[in-house]
């Protein structure tokens, strides 16, 4: 029996040696498998993975909220052109929300000067056209916004308009 045990022990040793020779051992394969998985993940991540879609979002201008309305003194202006006439006009300025009419009192002469400069350069024929008047209001509003650093004034209103 002792001989059988020794043979069994020797036989067990021989079987282990044979397995190591044939497969290279079970423990030595694990680092190779892990390395292969890491390599495949890197190849997928850098080469095969689809790139994300790039979405370009255009910045929109913030919405300007209208506040108080300040009326400028009514003006009588000479118009340009061959049949030069007169223009009696009332202009009101719509302020941004948060800008008080009382704070704008000091700026009224500046706004009125811009209106005089712009409107006195127009002709009676141009101002007789309603579409042109709309464009003139928009242009005058832009000039005033520029003067006040794109703040304070939102737009311009014509409260009266009489031409002769």
């Amino acid at each position: 029996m002792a001989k059988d045990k020794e043979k069994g022990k020797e036989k067990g040793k021989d079987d282990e040696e044979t397995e190591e020779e044939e497969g290279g051992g079970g423990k030595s394969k694990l680092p190779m498998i892990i390395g292969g998985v890491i390599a495949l993940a890197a190849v997928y991540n850098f080469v095969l993975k689809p790139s994300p879609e790039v979405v370009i979002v255009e910045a929109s201008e913030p919405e300007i909220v209208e506040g108080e309305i300040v009326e400028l003194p009514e003006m009588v202006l000479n118009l340009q052109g061959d049949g030069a006439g007169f223009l009696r006009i009332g202009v009101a300025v719509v302020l941004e929300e948060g800008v008080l009419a009382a704070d704008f009192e000091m700026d009224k002469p500046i706004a009125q000067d811009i209106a005089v400069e712009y409107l006195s350069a127009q002709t009676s024929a141009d101002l007789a056209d309603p579409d042109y008047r709309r464009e003139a209001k928009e242009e005058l509003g832009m000039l005033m916004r520029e003067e006040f650093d794109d703040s304070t004034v939102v737009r311009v209103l014509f409260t009266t308009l009489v031409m002769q």
Side-chain angles (χ1 to χ4, degrees):
M1 230 161 73
K3 286 185 179 180
D4 288 337
K5 285 183 183 178
E6 286 178 21
K7 282 183 182 177
K9 285 183 185 176
E10 287 179 20
K11 192 175 192 183
K13 276 186 176 177
D14 287 342
D15 288 342
E16 288 175 11
E17 287 175 6
T18 307
E19 285 177 9
E20 287 178 11
E21 288 173 4
E22 288 176 2
K27 293 181 182 178
S28 64
K29 288 183 181 179
L30 185 60
M32 284 181 50
I33 292 172
I34 292 172
V37 169
I38 291 172
L40 286 174
V43 167
Y44 173 78
N45 197 28
F46 294 112
V47 178
L48 300 175
K49 183 178 176 181
S51 60
E53 290 185 33
V54 177
V55 177
I56 299 173
V57 178
E58 291 184 26
S60 62
E61 291 185 26
E63 186 176 323
I64 300 170
V65 180
E66 294 181 357
E68 295 185 49
I69 298 174
V70 176
E71 203 161 334
L72 301 178
E74 200 168 85
M75 300 173 275
V76 177
L77 306 171
N78 291 322
L79 294 173
Q80 294 292 316
D82 293 336
F86 296 99
L87 171 68
R88 188 176 113 214
I89 189 161
V91 177
V93 177
V94 180
L95 303 176
E96 284 187 8
E97 185 178 54
V99 177
L100 300 176
D103 293 340
F104 191 73
E105 283 299 315
M106 298 293 288
D107 293 327
K108 279 172 86 172
I110 296 170
Q112 191 170 6
D113 181 58
I114 294 168
V116 167
E117 293 258 341
Y118 180 77
L119 293 169
S120 64
Q122 308 304 314
T123 66
S124 59
D126 288 339
L127 290 173
D129 179 17
D131 291 333
Y132 187 84
R133 273 197 309 266
R134 242 179 268 115
E135 290 175 19
K137 278 196 299 190
E138 290 175 14
E139 180 72 24
L140 186 56
M142 287 190 325
L143 290 170
M144 286 195 190
R145 280 196 64 78
E146 286 174 13
E147 178 66 32
F148 295 107
D149 298 323
D150 288 332
S151 63
T152 308
V153 176
V154 176
R155 62 188 177 108
V156 171
L157 306 170
F158 292 160
T159 56
T160 58
L161 190 134
V162 178
M163 287 187 293
Q164 184 178 355

